[in-house]
Amino acid sequence: MRLRPVRPAGWWFDGLLLAALVGLTVALATGHLFGLDRAAADWAAQHRPTAARWAAMILNYLGQGSPLTLLAAGLGVLVAIRLRSVRAVLPPVVAFVLTYLTIGPLKVWTARPAPSASVKPPFLPPDQTLPLFQHDLPVRFAQSYPSGHVANAILWYAVLALLVTPLLATFGRTVPPRLVTVVRVLPPLIVLCTTTYLGWHWLTDSVAGLLLGLLLSRLLSRVPWDDVPLPPALRNWDRPFTRS
């Protein structure tokens, strides 16, 4: 099997994303960048009228992991039925495994409260909401880093873009490449801005989610779905779907 191409090509960019994520985590663990996070959170709190807050809350649903997972799974099943290719179900399954093994464990390990933890349970002093590794807090109050909404949005919209193209092709329709780019880029950017603006995540949480999501998305995009070996029992459902 040959890996599918990604842009930028090569593994250097993946290494850069990983290094940036590790560097950001180390910086926060040693007490750096707290001023930036506090300034961004305070600005957002002072510029959050009711109408803007509700608009941001609605737009933030673009990054809800569970609905995106179900939507991607549904599209995968639909493509599989129309093309008689069980391969179309593989991207949502692999994406779910990637998110399950990375986002949740990182949140638990870093144990960082959200900015809102000072104005609602557990009502921490504002300065105590910034540090990582607060394992003395209940897990539900310390799962802010990295932003799961942002990471989920990047990965799942990449999966949706991958599946929409062959699905529409079965109806004789094509998807303009620019539209695919918009689907992959715009929702994650909206989620990054809204989740920070609403005070649900620190700015560096969202940046970390961006770095992690891009890394996972590149790994997923490299998989040669049409060439993955399948059991003989699925021979009648073994058609390619990305180059159908």
Side-chain angles (χ1 to χ4, degrees):
M1 293 187 301
R2 298 187 61 181
L3 298 180
R4 300 175 68 199
V6 294
R7 292 187 299 175
W11 292 91
W12 66 270
F13 192 69
D14 304 73
L16 185 62
L17 291 171
L18 181 59
L21 179 59
V22 171
L24 178 59
T25 305
V26 170
L28 292 169
T30 54
H32 294 83
L33 302 178
F34 288 173
L36 175 63
D37 276 336
R38 174 54 65 190
D42 289 346
W43 182 92
Q46 296 165 8
H47 298 81
R48 198 185 296 145
T50 301
R53 181 172 66 86
W54 276 102
M57 290 174 62
I58 293 172
L59 290 172
N60 194 254
Y61 279 106
L62 290 170
Q64 287 287 342
S66 296
L68 288 174
T69 302
L70 294 174
L71 178 59
L75 280 180
V77 171
L78 186 56
V79 173
I81 293 173
R82 291 193 61 83
L83 292 178
R84 295 185 62 83
S85 173
V86 73
R87 296 177 181 278
V89 182
L90 297 179
V93 172
V94 174
F96 177 80
V97 172
L98 284 176
T99 57
Y100 183 82
L101 295 178
T102 56
I103 298 174
L106 279 174
K107 284 177 171 290
V108 174
W109 176 62
T110 54
R112 190 188 201 189
S116 57
S118 63
V119 296
K120 64 180 185 181
F123 296 106
L124 300 174
D127 290 343
Q128 192 181 336
T129 59
L130 286 158
L132 277 63
F133 307 122
Q134 299 194 49
H135 295 289
D136 54 323
L137 293 173
V139 173
R140 67 183 184 278
F141 294 138
Q143 296 190 51
S144 186
Y145 182 91
S147 168
H149 273 64
V150 176
N152 274 317
I154 294 173
L155 185 61
W156 284 114
Y157 281 101
V159 174
L160 292 176
L162 176 67
L163 294 172
V164 164
T165 299
L167 176 62
L168 291 183
T170 66
F171 294 99
R173 302 294 182 87
T174 59
V175 181
R178 289 187 178 181
L179 181 58
V180 173
T181 301
V182 169
V183 170
R184 296 192 61 170
V185 173
L186 190 58
L189 287 180
I190 291 174
V191 172
L192 187 151
C193 293
T194 55
T195 198
T196 305
Y197 176 70
L198 291 166
W200 293 350
H201 283 284
W202 300 105
L203 176 60
T204 51
D205 297 341
S206 297
V207 173
L210 174 67
L211 296 170
L212 178 60
L214 287 173
L215 179 60
L216 297 179
S217 175
R218 284 175 62 84
L219 293 177
L220 190 83
S221 298
R222 282 188 168 92
V223 179
W225 305 108
D226 293 336
D227 300 319
V228 174
L230 295 177
L234 298 176
R235 187 173 302 161
N236 293 333
W237 290 79
D238 197 22
R239 294 180 56 187
F241 79 96
T242 63
R243 58 172 185 264
S244 58

